[in-house]
Amino acid sequence: MKKLFHAVAAASFALAATLAPAIAAEISGAGATFPYPIYAKWADAYKKETGIGLNYQSIGSGGGIKQIKAKTVTFGASDAPLSGKDLEETGLVQFPMVMGGIVPVVNLDGITAGELVLDGPTVASIFLGEITNWDDPAIKKLNPSAELPNQAIAVVHRSDGSGTTYNFAYYLAEVSENWKSNVGVNTSLQWRVGIGAKGNEGVANNVANTKSSIGYVEFAYALQNKLTYTNMVNKAGKVVAPTSEAFQAAAANADWKSKPGYGVILANQPGDTSWPMTAATWILIYKNPQDPAAAAEALKFFAWCYRNGGKMAEELDYVPMPANVVEDIEKTWAAEIKDASGKPLSATTN
Amino acid sequence: MSAADSFSRLAVFRRLRSRDAVFRILTRTSALGVLMVLGSAIVVLVSGALPALRAFGLAFLTTEMWNPVTEKFGALAPIYGTLVTSAIAMTIAVPVSLMIAVFLTEICPMRLRRPIGIAIELLAGIPSIIYGIWGLFVFAPFLQHTLQPFLIELFGPVPVLSTLFAGPPYGIGILTAGLILAIMVLPFIASISRDVFEAVPPVLKEAAYGVGCTTWEVVRYVVLPYARVGVIGGVMLGLGRALGETMAVTFVIGNAHRVSGSILAPGTTISATIANEFTEAVGDLYSSSLIALGLILFVITFIVLALARYLLMRLEDRVAP
């Protein structure tokens, strides 16, 4: 009887302990689909530790920017950084949260992950519709030993605007004059060929379902969907595979302070081991938020992610931000994000 | 006593009259409310679309360009996609649903009528997102491996049809969207047609059978002419749904802003474009162009409904003695 009483007491105590924080507000955010897998993982771990949940809608970077401007969420997330002028006009603070790699994914009989090699100009030509067959000499030249089918290439791209598209186009514009002058760089593009799919998930699904297709997704999506990713020739002319090390190498030399709001694009970085389509993703939050308590909660979560989330990020093949960059970011928070009385909100993080 | 009686009668009448007045006001405001909602929707659409229409003029309707980078937009591809997918859907759905309705009312054994009727109504009740997911994961791969390669092979040597069915077989594209739409509008047309066929007076049919007509002749010369006004109403309802359907189409059409000669190629529709791009339209001209697309869809629907009304009026004139 006494045992039962103890059990009931313990159970109700545990229940009360889990219920109390559940009443606390959820952190709300919206934006990029590129970092969604790692945000979801962090949020899950954070909820177990603190009881505070995250409500993140992965609606695409442009949507994230729109939602934060409309003040319907506490933070926005974008893979395409806002310009210094934009940040000043809107009163937003921007900082990078995590980095990752964009990989070309293909669906070809007999070709396994990492077997095919592509380079920037070839990828640009494929997505411009200039190379239309897998049998093309340009692809053969990069893959002398691979057995490439004589089949039309089915191109799959994003139909919604997306930061993944922005970074992908940014890289192609760096390496292909033709791409730069004919298509350009934006979160949505005028595609010459191919079918459009919604979200990283949509592209992954379409490539998985369509024989002889090529698409581009964030690396975590390629792994989760067991897609055949390709290797790439980087700026130094070396063939690299998409790995954490290759993403890190690209991120290593980035000069984060050179652009306002840490808006450095990591595509086509120098270095023998750098993955050419590396990308960062940013968080947007107001300098003087409408709801300072919610903003403080969000900052607490981000600080926790920087400190405890590195390993989880690596497990999903993202690259955590380097410690010195995190230090700078936290200094930026303390200096810029304040409540109505001018008290820095991030002071409550420790 | 009679004075008091008539007084109370007056009071009752007054109360009844005031109750009627309240009722009249209530119904009138509801009816006028619809007009106001419609009016404000038009005002918002037009004012939202003005920047784009001013920037591109009538060329907005005739250019295929849709470039968010340079902010040059034209609506030709989505208009084309909307019309072609709806046309495919109606070409398939109208005859099939009419046959279903005829079977259910004239030929089907009584025992089977209820289950088939309920199945059709269930088909109408499936949310469009389910059709979209089913279309993407089940139907599109099926078409990609069976119907599309077959069509490409079959019509490859035929001059005009070879452009209409040019590959590669993506699985998704205009044809797939049209087929999904056909399945989606079929229950609407079928169940309305069944209802109007059932309303055909049995005396007429019995008389026709009595003079030795076959079932085909009864359907062709008695049932269809009697019910055609209702059938056209059902067809228009289905067409309205096909023109505006968003979610299912977005999943399977391929979302490419191109006018292609081949119906196997990916395309886009007005509603799919709006659903895909609205959250991302950052520039003013971009959002305005999307709203202009909405206005165009509104106008297309209006034209279709007006045509249907006109057709019905002419039919009624002819049917009336």
Side-chain angles (χ1 to χ4, degrees):
Chain A
M1 191 64 206
K2 209 173 176 186
K3 237 183 202 164
L4 183 71
F5 175 76
H6 276 295
V8 169
S12 51
F13 182 77
L15 194 68
T18 49
L19 273 183
I23 294 161
E26 281 201 327
I27 305 164
S28 76
T33 59
F34 171 84
Y36 175 65
I38 183 60
Y39 288 178
K41 193 165 187 177
W42 280 341
D44 194 41
Y46 189 68
K47 177 144 195 176
K48 271 184 198 133
E49 204 167 304
T50 63
I52 293 166
L54 169 75
N55 175 15
Y56 182 77
Q57 310 156 39
S58 60
I59 53 174
S61 296
I65 294 170
K66 270 202 166 168
Q67 298 272 303
I68 185 72
K69 281 186 178 167
K71 302 192 179 171
T72 55
V73 285
T74 308
F75 71 89
S78 171
D79 306 334
L82 290 186
S83 67
K85 187 170 143 266
D86 241 6
L87 290 171
E88 217 151 277
E89 276 170 8
T90 51
L92 286 164
V93 177
Q94 173 181 280
F95 50 91
M97 197 65 221
V98 70
M99 298 172 283
I102 298 164
V103 294
V105 285
V106 298
N107 180 345
L108 281 170
D109 284 335
I111 304 274
T112 55
E115 201 181 316
L116 209 62
V117 178
L118 294 172
D119 63 3
T122 309
V123 173
S125 296
I126 292 174
F127 279 84
L128 277 167
E130 288 162 354
I131 294 178
T132 55
N133 199 304
W134 285 110
D135 215 6
D136 196 276
I139 305 175
K140 270 199 161 157
K141 206 176 137 198
L142 289 163
N143 304 280
S145 58
E147 265 184 51
L148 290 159
N150 176 16
Q151 264 173 354
I153 302 176
V155 171
V156 183
H157 56 74
R158 292 283 290 270
S159 63
D160 49 340
S162 97
T164 313
T165 299
Y166 180 90
N167 280 287
F168 183 67
Y170 187 96
Y171 168 66
L172 295 184
E174 287 270 304
V175 296
S176 158
E177 200 48 50
N178 211 348
W179 184 275
K180 201 177 189 173
S181 53
N182 286 319
V183 179
V185 182
N186 202 345
T187 51
S188 333
L189 301 170
Q190 178 168 38
W191 297 97
R192 298 295 182 76
V193 287
I195 51 180
K198 211 164 157 53
N200 266 301
E201 315 87 290
V203 173
N205 269 319
N206 267 303
V207 170
N209 284 337
T210 311
K211 280 266 177 294
S212 148
S213 61
I214 184 167
Y216 59 93
V217 291
E218 201 284 318
F219 190 47
Y221 288 90
L223 290 183
Q224 277 165 20
N225 292 291
K226 300 195 171 58
L227 295 175
T228 309
Y229 52 82
T230 73
N231 292 347
M232 289 287 292
V233 179
N234 65 12
K235 196 177 190 179
K238 299 277 194 305
V239 173
V240 280
T243 57
S244 299
E245 294 76 45
F247 304 154
Q248 256 154 14
N253 300 320
D255 184 7
W256 289 101
K257 283 183 176 171
S258 66
K259 291 267 178 72
Y262 305 89
V264 177
I265 306 281
L266 297 172
N268 209 27
Q269 292 289 322
D272 280 0
T273 54
S274 299
W275 179 251
M277 293 195 280
T278 307
T281 181
W282 288 266
I283 298 287
L284 296 160
I285 196 162
Y286 278 104
K287 277 182 189 166
N288 301 299
Q290 244 174 2
D291 182 352
E297 276 306 333
L299 289 180
K300 250 191 229 174
F301 170 66
F302 297 140
W304 180 90
C305 295
Y306 281 140
R307 239 167 265 139
N308 310 304
K311 202 161 168 292
M312 280 177 260
E314 277 164 6
E315 278 164 16
L316 286 180
D317 287 277
Y318 287 91
V319 182
M321 298 306 296
N324 60 327
V325 183
V326 170
E327 253 170 53
D328 284 339
I329 292 168
E330 290 188 333
K331 268 182 214 153
T332 308
W333 290 356
E336 295 193 7
I337 306 177
K338 290 168 180 166
D339 65 7
S341 62
K343 207 170 125 267
L345 288 173
S346 61
T348 52
T349 49
N350 300 318
Chain B
M1 186 170 152
S2 72
D5 195 29
S6 71
F7 178 74
S8 78
R9 192 178 290 172
L10 255 182
V12 166
F13 275 139
R14 209 174 293 132
R15 209 170 57 233
L16 284 180
R17 206 179 300 139
S18 71
R19 204 183 283 169
D20 229 18
V22 169
F23 183 64
R24 203 180 308 131
I25 291 169
L26 271 178
T27 49
R28 190 186 295 157
T29 20
S30 306
L32 291 181
V34 171
L35 277 185
M36 275 176 49
V37 170
L38 187 69
S40 49
I42 294 175
V43 169
V44 168
L45 276 177
V46 170
S47 69
L50 266 184
L53 297 179
R54 232 179 250 140
F56 307 116
L58 270 184
F60 187 70
L61 295 175
T62 53
T63 42
E64 196 188 329
M65 171 94 96
W66 189 268
N67 193 337
V69 182
T70 55
E71 298 219 304
K72 295 263 188 305
F73 301 104
L76 188 63
I79 293 175
Y80 169 83
T82 306
L83 296 179
V84 171
T85 49
S86 301
I88 295 173
M90 299 319 280
T91 315
I92 298 166
V94 170
V96 174
S97 16
L98 285 183
M99 284 190 273
I100 293 174
V102 168
F103 178 74
L104 279 180
T105 51
E106 307 298 328
I107 299 158
C108 185
M110 275 300 176
R111 250 180 318 139
L112 276 178
R113 278 186 198 193
R114 264 178 68 88
I116 295 180
I118 289 170
I120 288 170
E121 268 141 36
L122 278 178
L123 213 54
I126 297 174
S128 57
I129 185 85
I130 307 285
Y131 279 107
I133 292 173
W134 173 77
L136 180 63
F137 289 116
V138 183
F139 196 53
F142 169 75
L143 288 182
Q144 189 183 16
H145 298 306
T146 55
L147 182 68
Q148 295 193 348
F150 170 74
L151 287 174
I152 295 168
E153 284 277 298
L154 185 68
F155 295 119
V158 189
V160 180
L161 292 176
S162 65
T163 11
L164 197 57
F165 297 102
Y170 283 116
I172 60 185
I174 293 207
L175 178 67
T176 314
L179 291 175
I180 296 262
L181 281 178
I183 300 170
M184 290 177 76
V185 301
L186 191 141
F188 286 84
I189 307 177
S191 73
I192 288 180
S193 306
R194 185 196 54 183
D195 290 349
V196 291
F197 287 171
E198 266 169 3
V200 175
V203 182
L204 291 182
K205 288 193 272 180
E206 282 157 15
Y209 281 121
V211 296
C213 287
T214 60
T215 312
W216 157 248
E217 283 163 340
V218 169
V219 169
R220 172 69 189 79
Y221 297 105
V222 177
V223 175
L224 274 181
Y226 191 89
R228 66 182 156 194
V229 173
V231 169
I232 288 176
V235 169
M236 288 302 150
L237 192 71
L239 182 56
R241 171 148 200 198
L243 286 170
E245 176 50 43
T246 309
M247 241 27 249
V249 172
T250 309
F251 269 74
V252 297
I253 197 166
N255 304 303
H257 280 276
R258 282 191 297 276
V259 176
S260 173
S262 166
I263 60 168
L264 301 183
T268 187
T269 67
I270 292 175
S271 35
T273 302
I274 296 175
N276 258 321
E277 300 181 27
F278 210 79
T279 50
E280 295 289 336
V282 252
D284 288 341
L285 211 49
Y286 196 177
S287 344
S288 173
S289 299
L290 288 171
I291 296 172
L293 279 184
L295 182 64
I296 293 171
L297 184 60
F298 191 88
V299 172
I300 292 178
T301 319
F302 181 80
I303 293 174
V304 165
L305 286 179
L307 273 179
R309 283 267 127 223
Y310 178 71
L311 208 64
L312 285 180
M313 257 158 52
R314 290 204 33 192
L315 275 178
E316 274 159 9
D317 283 351
R318 264 206 316 211
V319 169

